[in-house]
Amino acid sequence: MSVADQQKQIDTARTILHDAASVVILAGAGMGIDSGLPDFRGPEGFWRAYPGAKRMELNFIDLANPAAFQQFPRLAWGFYGHRLQLYRNTTPHAGFRHLLRLAETTPTFVVTTNVDGQFQKAGWPEVAITEWHGSIHWWQCCTPCCDDIWPAEGNIENINTETLIWHSDLPRCPHCQALARPNILMFDDAHWLAQRTEAQKNRWQAWLAKFSTGRRVVLEIGAGTAIPTLRWLSRSLVDTGALLIRINPADYAAPNGHIGLPMRAARALSQLLP
């Protein structure tokens, strides 16, 4: 795409957002990269962030898996504990604030497959967010012994970032003392407790029904095709008449009549929502 064509697309997208009756933000992993969060796309991206996993010939799917908590619990918790501390210490980039300003004038709802809690940290209210795959900031029993989930509390200490080994006492379920785990939908996961996310999804469906009239805009940001959850949601909303603005530096192609911008999140949002 030429510079001139891209600017024309940006100008059109800016007008569309200004005139929108409601906006659905679909945020994937690319939303967090400009905050300095690692990119796990492909094994090389994962191994750049976690060289210790490469030495053990483990990939993202091997660790983002409930079986890992049974097979190598200190490694599984080293991986998730390091990520939790990273997310706690990360400052959301300016694009989150641009979106918050949009929400001050236009009914706006966030659906994200990210588990990092960055929207909440940036000031978004819980009632305006659906975390489709759960959140690392909430924990549950590995078994699970009951339906309880609880906030992740306390400092994360004694993780060797090279080996990814958690050296202190492992998190335990307060009810049965079995090993705990993050309340995240993992690969091959039959034990994820989904009630928190299901309540969020119900709020989202109620919001969609409440703001069903006028032009709805879907602002899809950093959603890839490897795990196409947000792409499916985009398609379903477009099928009901919404206009799509897709922001992605690589996979930016959009259906005819919609807009695709080959840009990263922070730069695109600063131009769309100045």
Side-chain angles (χ1 to χ4, degrees):
M1 180 182 296
S2 70
V3 173
D5 287 342
Q6 182 171 303
Q7 187 58 53
K8 184 178 180 181
Q9 291 279 71
I10 291 170
D11 293 341
T12 301
R14 189 185 297 128
T15 299
I16 289 170
L17 285 169
H18 181 270
D19 296 339
S22 63
V23 177
V24 176
I25 299 167
L26 301 181
M31 183 66 185
I33 291 174
D34 289 324
S35 299
L37 297 178
D39 180 5
F40 293 157
R41 283 180 297 184
E44 291 301 328
F46 175 69
W47 287 334
R48 277 194 300 273
Y50 296 105
K54 183 175 185 178
R55 287 194 294 272
M56 290 177 278
E57 299 183 344
L58 296 171
N59 60 33
F60 178 67
I61 294 176
D62 293 327
L63 290 179
N65 194 306
F69 288 85
Q70 305 303 321
Q71 296 169 358
F72 21 78
R74 291 193 177 276
L75 181 61
W77 262 116
F79 171 56
Y80 277 103
H82 179 267
R83 288 176 66 192
L84 174 57
Q85 197 73 334
L86 174 65
Y87 298 154
R88 284 174 170 176
N89 294 335
T90 296
T91 300
H93 62 74
F96 289 91
R97 294 194 297 275
H98 290 297
L99 292 172
L100 269 174
R101 285 202 297 271
L102 171 67
E104 291 173 357
T105 58
T106 306
T108 305
F109 202 99
V110 173
V111 179
T112 181
T113 49
N114 299 335
V115 301
D116 51 31
Q118 293 294 290
F119 277 95
Q120 289 93 329
K121 194 171 185 180
W124 281 82
E126 287 278 353
V127 294
I129 303 169
T130 292
E131 295 162 298
W132 208 265
H133 294 160
S135 170
I136 200 170
H137 300 281
W138 291 81
W139 293 353
Q140 65 166 83
C141 179
C142 273
T143 305
C145 69
C146 64
D147 289 339
D148 190 30
I149 64 174
W150 60 92
E153 297 177 344
N155 294 326
I156 306 300
E157 300 175 350
N158 297 321
I159 297 175
N160 185 316
T161 55
E162 280 298 308
T163 62
L164 278 185
I165 297 298
W166 178 299
H167 288 290
S168 55
D169 292 341
L170 292 170
R172 296 283 171 182
C173 172
H175 303 285
C176 71
Q177 296 304 306
L179 190 67
R181 51 163 278 191
N183 182 234
I184 292 172
L185 177 61
M186 303 181 190
F187 294 96
D188 301 319
D189 196 346
H191 298 301
W192 179 50
L193 297 176
Q195 65 267 25
R196 178 175 175 270
T197 295
E198 289 303 319
Q200 292 178 334
K201 289 180 180 179
N202 289 339
R203 288 198 296 269
W204 182 49
Q205 291 298 323
W207 182 91
L208 288 174
K210 180 178 180 180
F211 299 103
S212 60
T213 59
R215 175 52 55 85
R216 176 173 291 149
V217 176
V218 178
L219 186 56
E220 181 195 284
I221 309 167
T225 57
I227 301 176
T229 306
L230 296 181
R231 294 293 179 110
W232 293 336
L233 289 175
S234 289
R235 186 179 305 136
S236 67
L237 291 167
V238 166
D239 286 345
T240 64
L243 267 173
L244 171 64
I245 301 171
R246 173 167 288 153
I247 299 170
N248 195 303
D251 301 319
Y252 65 90
N256 289 336
H258 302 268
I259 293 176
L261 296 173
M263 304 171 72
R264 282 171 48 159
R267 177 169 169 255
L269 292 172
S270 69
Q271 296 190 44
L272 292 178
L273 302 165

